[in-house]
Structure formats: C-alpha cells, structure tokens
C-alpha cells in the first residue's frame, strides 16, 4: 500500500522532556497497545531509541539535544503498516531562537506542514507557578500565528510532562493555556486534549499522546478511502447500465472501430478500482475503530468547559493509569 507521510511536530523548551518522551514511547510501543506497535524505518534509529529508553527506565535520562534528528516511523496494527510518519527531535532552544537560526526556521516550516502537534509543558515547573519558564505563551502564539489558515484536520496533544513528580495539582493548573483552549474550542478543524505523562522508573500514559494525534490521520484516511470506494462503485454501475441494450451495442461497435474503451470495459475498470479501495478501506477499518475507542476517554478540549473541570479530568486520567500500573489492566479499564 502507498502512504502519504504525515508529519508530527513537537514544541517545547529545552529540558521539558521531548527526547525522553520519544524514546520511552518507542520502547513502550514495541509491545502492542490496542493492537498498535511502532517501528522506525531505519534500524540504527531503532537501536538508538531502545538504548535511550532502557537507560530512562532506570532513571538515567538523556543529555540535551544539540542537533535536530529526524526519524521516520511506521504505525503498525496487528503487524501490518497502517501509516508512515516523520517526527523530528530538535533542540528546545530552537523555540526561543531568532528567525536567523536554521533550526528555528526548520521548526516553523515543520509547524506549517504539521498533521499533528505535541505541545510539551513541564508540569513540575507549572506547579511551581513558573509559567514564563514553561514557554507556554511562546508556544500558544506560534500555534495561533501558524494555524490561522489551517485547511485540514489537525490534532494537538498537550503533554504535561514529569507528572510522576507531582502528587497533586491546584484547581487552576491549566489556566496559562486559556488562550490555546479558546483557539481549539473555536476551531472546526482542531482537536486538542491535555494528557499527563511521566517517563522513567514510574511511567504514566506514555502511548496516549501519539495515538490521540494519529487517530485524526487514520480516520481521515479511512473516510477518504470510503469516498473513493463509493465514487468508483457508482461509476461502475452507471457504465454497466449504459453498456446494456441497443445503445450499449452501438457503443461496443464504435469502440471496436475507434479503439476507445467501451462502456462495458469502463464498467469493469471502475469495478476493479472500487474493489481495490474496498480492500484498503476494510484494512484500515479495524485500526480506525480501535483508535477511536481508545481516545474517547481522553479529556479533550470543548467549548464551555471550566479550567477546574480540565484539572479534575487530568487528575482522573492520571490516577486511573497509576492504578492500572499496579493491577496491570487496560489503562482505561476504569472507565468501562
Ligand atoms: N521525573 C521525570 N523527569 C524527566 C521526565 N522527562 C524528562 N525528565 C528530566 O528532564 C531532563 C530533560 O529531558 P530531555 O528529554 O533531554 O528534554 P528535551 O526536551 O529533549 O531537551 P532539549 O533536547 O534540550 O530540547 C531529563 O534529563 C530528566 O532529568 C519525566 O517524565 N519524569
Ligand atoms: Mg532533546
């Protein structure tokens, strides 16, 4: 199957936990989560990420990133590739560098072409009231500025990193995100959600931010394939109808003389195309439904929801995951 490569972009200051998250996620998704696994397209990248993740699991975190590193991944469902996506790990300083910096420019370009965005916010800093250090304002203005003319559906995961260091959070915890909440809840194209995560000895919600983002891409693909299937099926029926009777006979004779396709042949070709799209559609149906079930439980941004309510939902998914770790159940079993 051919794949359009989708692009994921991370935004987050230096030290927020981008490299840590990427490696930890890769390692977690070597085992199936709802049928999904991840694979790098390059074997050396696989080794590098697994090695980083093994260290992180023992509490040995990576060094800061100096040079941007691009990775290509396949999202797999039950062992079959469903989606290919590129994801770049850049140094967090690019966020605050001026437009003259090559890395800052690449980041801006990436952002314009993004199919999914991960916003990283250090929840430990946020909890201490260090909003400026968290670069939330800078990230919100980048999003607002670059997504003004967005013409395709997009998901944004807001990762509250290092949640393993927090016991509790104040009710107004996500207030600094108010501007972004407004942008997302007013947009018909953007879906966003807050997800507390933790990497290291204690792991919290690691697969959720990626699967939340990829759900949009997979379901777009699913609906697009469904449209093509219906289109070619209708075409096949129309050509088949026109190949019948007296008119059909004339058309057949003319086609023999001119060498053009007859309606009968057109019907066969359109039917073959419809069959092909049907196969693709059936192939993507199960992963699409599986992802939809998974993300249904995430605190997504909606209009008319108070800041206190988001905080309540963030704590609920944090606690449910912790108990899952103890009982080793499905992360969302508590909601079923
Ligand atoms: N407790 C805890 N600490 C974390 C977690 N993630 C990252 N850290 C800490 O934050 C530091 C920075 O993490 P990185 O993953 O290197 O951050 P980064 O965003 O890639 O930073 P740059 O590459 O400089 O942009 C690590 O060395 C850890 O000390 C986490 O989930 N839990
Ligand atoms: Mg890094």
């Amino acid at each position: 199957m051919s794949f359009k490569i989708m692009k994921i972009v991370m935004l987050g200051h230096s030290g927020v936990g981008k490299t840590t998250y990427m490696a930890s996620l890769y390692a977690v998704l070597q085992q199936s989560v709802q049928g999904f696994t991840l694979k790098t397209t390059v074997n050396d990248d696989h080794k590098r990420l697994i090695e980083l993740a093994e260290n992180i699991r023992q509490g040995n975190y990576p060094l800061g990133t100096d040079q941007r590193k691009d990775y290509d991944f396949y999202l797999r469902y039950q062992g079959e590739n469903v989606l290919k996506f590129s994801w770049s790990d850049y140094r967090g300083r690019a966020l605050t560098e001026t437009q003259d910096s090559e890395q800052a420019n690449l980041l801006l370009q990436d952002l314009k072409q993004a199919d999914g965005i991960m916003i990283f916010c250090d929840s430990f800093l946020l909890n201490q009231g260090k909003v400026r250090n968290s670069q939330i304002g800078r990230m919100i203005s980048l999003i607002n500025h670059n997504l003004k003319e967005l013409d395709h559906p997009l998901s944004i995961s807001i990762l509250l990193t290092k949640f393993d260091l927090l016991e509790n959070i104040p009710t107004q915890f996500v207030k600094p995100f108010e501007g972004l909440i407004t942008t997302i809840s007013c947009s018909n194209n953007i879906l966003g959600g807050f997800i507390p995560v933790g990497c290291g000895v204690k792991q919290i919600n690691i697969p959720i931010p990626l699967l939340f983002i990829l759900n949009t891409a997979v379901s777009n693909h699913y609906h697009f394939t469904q449209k093509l299937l219906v289109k070619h099926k209708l075409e096949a029926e129309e050509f088949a109808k026109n190949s019948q009777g007296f008119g059909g006979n004339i058309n057949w004779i003319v086609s023999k003389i001119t060498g053009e396709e007859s309606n009968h042949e057109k019907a066969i070709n359109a039917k073959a195309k419809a069959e092909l799209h049907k196969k693709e559609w059936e192939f993507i149906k199960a992963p699409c439904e599986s992802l939809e079930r998974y993300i249904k439980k995430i605190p997504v941004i909606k209009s008319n929801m108070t800041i206190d309510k988001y905080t309540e939902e963030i704590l609920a998914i944090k606690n449910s995951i912790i108990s899952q770790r103890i009982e080793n159940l499905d992360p969302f079993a508590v909601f079923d």
Side-chain angles (χ1 to χ4, degrees):
M1 206 181 297
S2 63
F3 294 99
K4 170 189 174 281
I5 303 187
M6 72 169 283
K7 193 187 267 294
I8 294 187
V9 176
M10 314 198 252
L11 288 180
H13 68 80
S14 180
V16 70
K18 297 181 294 297
T19 306
T20 302
Y21 176 70
M22 189 192 252
S24 305
L25 171 75
Y26 188 68
V28 167
L29 279 175
Q30 293 313 292
Q31 307 229 318
S32 155
V33 173
Q34 295 270 121
F36 291 98
T37 51
L38 267 195
K39 192 161 180 349
T40 53
T41 57
V42 177
N43 205 24
D44 279 354
D45 290 347
H46 171 88
K47 285 192 203 139
R48 187 188 144 83
L49 289 172
I50 293 289
E51 198 185 314
L52 273 174
E54 274 167 8
N55 284 323
I56 294 166
R57 277 298 267 158
Q58 290 161 25
N60 302 318
Y61 291 95
L63 297 172
T65 307
D66 282 332
Q67 273 303 319
R68 171 193 165 112
K69 168 102 182 77
D70 299 318
Y71 294 90
D72 279 343
F73 295 95
Y74 280 119
L75 176 73
R76 296 163 72 86
Y77 182 73
Q78 314 286 27
E80 301 266 2
N81 297 340
V82 239
L83 196 86
K84 189 174 177 185
F85 62 96
S86 70
W87 185 3
S88 308
D89 186 15
Y90 66 93
R91 62 167 194 240
R93 274 182 293 139
L95 195 64
T96 43
E97 282 164 358
T98 61
Q99 298 259 333
D100 307 337
S101 138
E102 193 198 336
Q103 299 225 7
N105 263 320
L106 283 174
L107 175 62
L108 287 181
Q109 265 175 36
D110 276 356
L111 197 59
K112 286 208 169 86
Q113 298 161 359
D115 299 285
I117 298 176
M118 289 184 183
I119 293 183
F120 283 71
C121 174
D122 187 325
S123 51
F124 189 70
L125 283 182
L126 197 60
N127 203 36
Q128 292 180 325
K130 295 184 177 158
V131 177
R132 268 181 78 83
N133 307 35
S134 318
Q135 296 284 343
I136 298 175
R138 172 92 184 118
M139 293 191 286
I140 296 179
S141 73
L142 272 176
I143 298 269
N144 284 345
H145 187 251
N146 285 283
L147 302 185
K148 252 190 240 143
E149 282 133 34
L150 186 72
D151 57 359
H152 60 275
L154 171 87
S155 287
I156 302 181
S157 289
I158 305 166
L159 287 87
L160 303 167
T161 63
K162 310 183 191 178
F163 225 83
D164 50 297
L165 299 176
L166 302 184
E167 279 309 318
N168 217 330
I169 50 174
T171 52
Q172 293 288 297
F173 191 65
V174 295
K175 191 160 172 61
F177 285 98
E178 246 172 349
L180 186 62
I181 292 175
T182 309
T183 304
I184 295 177
S185 58
C186 291
S187 164
N188 293 329
N189 274 333
I190 312 178
L191 191 65
F194 289 103
I195 306 152
V197 290
C199 306
V201 179
K202 196 161 150 188
Q203 299 197 321
I204 306 172
N205 291 342
I206 294 179
I208 299 178
L210 179 80
L211 295 181
F212 178 66
I213 280 182
L214 294 184
N215 173 62
T216 307
V218 173
S219 79
N220 281 346
H221 189 158
Y222 175 69
H223 290 111
F224 183 66
T225 319
Q226 192 175 24
K227 262 193 201 148
L228 287 178
L229 159 66
V230 171
K231 176 177 170 265
H232 289 296
K233 194 166 171 283
L234 289 176
E235 264 176 30
E237 282 166 10
E238 187 67 19
F239 286 130
K241 205 170 88 197
N242 294 340
S243 70
Q244 303 292 312
F246 184 65
N249 281 343
I250 299 280
N251 171 269
W252 186 79
I253 295 165
V254 171
S255 78
K256 288 294 141 205
I257 300 168
T258 59
E260 281 173 11
E261 264 186 349
S262 68
N263 282 337
H264 179 65
E265 286 160 336
K266 282 182 187 160
I268 291 175
N269 288 340
K271 196 166 168 225
K273 277 189 194 152
E275 288 294 332
L276 216 73
H277 291 307
K278 183 156 185 257
K279 267 203 190 119
E280 199 173 337
W281 177 71
E282 277 169 350
F283 172 69
I284 206 135
K285 192 167 186 273
C288 193
E289 285 171 357
S290 178
L291 272 176
E292 253 154 35
R293 269 198 304 277
Y294 194 63
I295 68 141
K296 241 194 341 219
K297 294 134 181 177
I298 291 165
V300 290
I301 292 173
K302 301 177 209 103
S303 50
N304 301 328
M305 199 155 134
T306 62
I307 294 290
D308 290 15
K309 183 77 183 143
Y310 286 115
T311 309
E312 201 180 288
E313 292 198 353
I314 287 164
L315 276 176
I317 87 160
K318 185 223 171 182
N319 294 335
S320 74
I321 306 309
I322 300 270
S323 63
Q324 165 257 329
R325 218 167 43 85
I326 298 160
E327 293 164 28
N328 204 18
L329 292 170
D330 173 271
F332 287 123
V334 70
F335 292 94
D336 292 335

Short mmCIF file of all heavy atoms in Angstrom, two decimals, residues 251-270:
data_model
loop_
_atom_site.label_atom_id
_atom_site.label_comp_id
_atom_site.label_asym_id
_atom_site.label_seq_id
_atom_site.Cartn_x
_atom_site.Cartn_y
_atom_site.Cartn_z
N ASN A 251 -22.44 1.43 -28.80
CA ASN A 251 -21.22 1.88 -28.10
C ASN A 251 -20.09 0.86 -28.26
O ASN A 251 -18.94 1.18 -28.47
CB ASN A 251 -21.55 2.11 -26.61
CG ASN A 251 -20.32 2.36 -25.77
OD1 ASN A 251 -19.73 1.44 -25.23
ND2 ASN A 251 -19.92 3.63 -25.69
N TRP A 252 -20.48 -0.42 -28.18
CA TRP A 252 -19.49 -1.50 -28.29
C TRP A 252 -18.87 -1.52 -29.70
O TRP A 252 -17.66 -1.59 -29.87
CB TRP A 252 -20.16 -2.85 -27.99
CG TRP A 252 -19.19 -3.99 -27.94
CD1 TRP A 252 -18.38 -4.31 -26.90
CD2 TRP A 252 -18.94 -4.96 -28.97
NE1 TRP A 252 -17.62 -5.40 -27.20
CE2 TRP A 252 -17.93 -5.83 -28.46
CE3 TRP A 252 -19.45 -5.17 -30.25
CZ2 TRP A 252 -17.44 -6.91 -29.21
CZ3 TRP A 252 -18.96 -6.25 -30.98
CH2 TRP A 252 -17.95 -7.09 -30.46
N ILE A 253 -19.76 -1.38 -30.73
CA ILE A 253 -19.27 -1.38 -32.12
C ILE A 253 -18.33 -0.19 -32.36
O ILE A 253 -17.23 -0.32 -32.89
CB ILE A 253 -20.47 -1.36 -33.13
CG1 ILE A 253 -21.26 -2.66 -32.97
CG2 ILE A 253 -20.00 -1.17 -34.57
CD1 ILE A 253 -22.63 -2.64 -33.60
N VAL A 254 -18.80 1.02 -31.89
CA VAL A 254 -17.98 2.24 -32.09
C VAL A 254 -16.62 2.06 -31.43
O VAL A 254 -15.57 2.39 -31.99
CB VAL A 254 -18.71 3.48 -31.51
CG1 VAL A 254 -17.79 4.70 -31.49
CG2 VAL A 254 -19.96 3.78 -32.31
N SER A 255 -16.63 1.47 -30.24
CA SER A 255 -15.36 1.31 -29.51
C SER A 255 -14.40 0.39 -30.28
O SER A 255 -13.20 0.58 -30.25
CB SER A 255 -15.61 0.77 -28.10
OG SER A 255 -15.86 -0.60 -28.15
N LYS A 256 -14.96 -0.59 -30.96
CA LYS A 256 -14.11 -1.51 -31.74
C LYS A 256 -13.46 -0.76 -32.90
O LYS A 256 -12.30 -0.97 -33.23
CB LYS A 256 -14.95 -2.69 -32.31
CG LYS A 256 -15.39 -3.70 -31.28
CD LYS A 256 -14.20 -4.45 -30.68
CE LYS A 256 -14.45 -4.65 -29.21
NZ LYS A 256 -13.38 -4.81 -28.35
N ILE A 257 -14.26 0.17 -33.50
CA ILE A 257 -13.73 0.91 -34.66
C ILE A 257 -12.70 1.94 -34.21
O ILE A 257 -11.60 2.04 -34.75
CB ILE A 257 -14.88 1.60 -35.44
CG1 ILE A 257 -15.85 0.53 -35.93
CG2 ILE A 257 -14.36 2.45 -36.61
CD1 ILE A 257 -17.18 1.08 -36.45
N THR A 258 -13.05 2.71 -33.14
CA THR A 258 -12.16 3.82 -32.73
C THR A 258 -11.04 3.36 -31.81
O THR A 258 -10.07 4.07 -31.60
CB THR A 258 -12.96 4.90 -31.98
OG1 THR A 258 -13.55 4.26 -30.83
CG2 THR A 258 -14.05 5.52 -32.83
N GLY A 259 -11.17 2.19 -31.23
CA GLY A 259 -10.14 1.69 -30.30
C GLY A 259 -10.31 2.26 -28.89
O GLY A 259 -9.48 2.03 -28.02
N GLU A 260 -11.37 3.05 -28.68
CA GLU A 260 -11.60 3.60 -27.32
C GLU A 260 -12.25 2.56 -26.42
O GLU A 260 -12.82 1.59 -26.92
CB GLU A 260 -12.54 4.81 -27.43
CG GLU A 260 -11.82 6.06 -27.90
CD GLU A 260 -12.80 7.20 -28.16
OE1 GLU A 260 -13.98 7.07 -27.78
OE2 GLU A 260 -12.37 8.18 -28.77
N GLU A 261 -12.17 2.82 -25.12
CA GLU A 261 -12.80 1.88 -24.17
C GLU A 261 -14.31 1.88 -24.32
O GLU A 261 -14.92 2.95 -24.44
CB GLU A 261 -12.50 2.35 -22.73
CG GLU A 261 -11.32 1.69 -22.10
CD GLU A 261 -11.20 2.11 -20.62
OE1 GLU A 261 -11.88 3.02 -20.16
OE2 GLU A 261 -10.38 1.47 -19.96
N SER A 262 -14.93 0.71 -24.34
CA SER A 262 -16.39 0.66 -24.38
C SER A 262 -16.93 0.86 -22.96
O SER A 262 -16.17 0.74 -21.99
CB SER A 262 -16.85 -0.70 -24.90
OG SER A 262 -16.51 -1.68 -23.95
N ASN A 263 -18.24 1.12 -22.86
CA ASN A 263 -18.84 1.27 -21.52
C ASN A 263 -18.68 0.00 -20.71
O ASN A 263 -18.49 0.05 -19.49
CB ASN A 263 -20.33 1.62 -21.65
CG ASN A 263 -20.50 3.08 -21.99
OD1 ASN A 263 -19.61 3.89 -21.72
ND2 ASN A 263 -21.62 3.42 -22.61
N HIS A 264 -18.74 -1.12 -21.40
CA HIS A 264 -18.58 -2.40 -20.71
C HIS A 264 -17.18 -2.48 -20.08
O HIS A 264 -17.04 -2.83 -18.89
CB HIS A 264 -18.78 -3.53 -21.73
CG HIS A 264 -18.60 -4.90 -21.13
ND1 HIS A 264 -19.47 -5.38 -20.17
CD2 HIS A 264 -17.66 -5.85 -21.32
CE1 HIS A 264 -19.07 -6.58 -19.80
NE2 HIS A 264 -17.96 -6.89 -20.47
N GLU A 265 -16.16 -2.10 -20.88
CA GLU A 265 -14.77 -2.13 -20.34
C GLU A 265 -14.60 -1.10 -19.21
O GLU A 265 -13.95 -1.37 -18.20
CB GLU A 265 -13.76 -1.86 -21.47
CG GLU A 265 -13.60 -3.05 -22.40
CD GLU A 265 -13.00 -2.66 -23.74
OE1 GLU A 265 -13.11 -1.48 -24.16
OE2 GLU A 265 -12.42 -3.55 -24.38
N LYS A 266 -15.20 0.08 -19.41
CA LYS A 266 -15.11 1.12 -18.36
C LYS A 266 -15.73 0.61 -17.06
O LYS A 266 -15.22 0.86 -15.97
CB LYS A 266 -15.83 2.39 -18.81
CG LYS A 266 -15.02 3.22 -19.79
CD LYS A 266 -15.80 4.48 -20.11
CE LYS A 266 -15.12 5.28 -21.20
NZ LYS A 266 -16.02 6.21 -21.86
N ALA A 267 -16.85 -0.10 -17.20
CA ALA A 267 -17.53 -0.64 -16.00
C ALA A 267 -16.61 -1.62 -15.29
O ALA A 267 -16.48 -1.60 -14.06
CB ALA A 267 -18.82 -1.33 -16.40
N ILE A 268 -15.92 -2.47 -16.08
CA ILE A 268 -15.02 -3.46 -15.46
C ILE A 268 -13.87 -2.75 -14.73
O ILE A 268 -13.53 -3.08 -13.58
CB ILE A 268 -14.46 -4.43 -16.54
CG1 ILE A 268 -15.60 -5.32 -17.04
CG2 ILE A 268 -13.31 -5.28 -15.99
CD1 ILE A 268 -15.23 -6.23 -18.18
N ASN A 269 -13.29 -1.71 -15.38
CA ASN A 269 -12.18 -0.99 -14.75
C ASN A 269 -12.61 -0.28 -13.47
O ASN A 269 -11.91 -0.31 -12.46
CB ASN A 269 -11.59 0.04 -15.72
CG ASN A 269 -10.80 -0.65 -16.81
OD1 ASN A 269 -10.40 -1.81 -16.63
ND2 ASN A 269 -10.60 0.01 -17.93
N ALA A 270 -13.77 0.38 -13.55
CA ALA A 270 -14.25 1.11 -12.36
C ALA A 270 -14.53 0.12 -11.23
O ALA A 270 -14.25 0.40 -10.06
CB ALA A 270 -15.50 1.91 -12.70
#
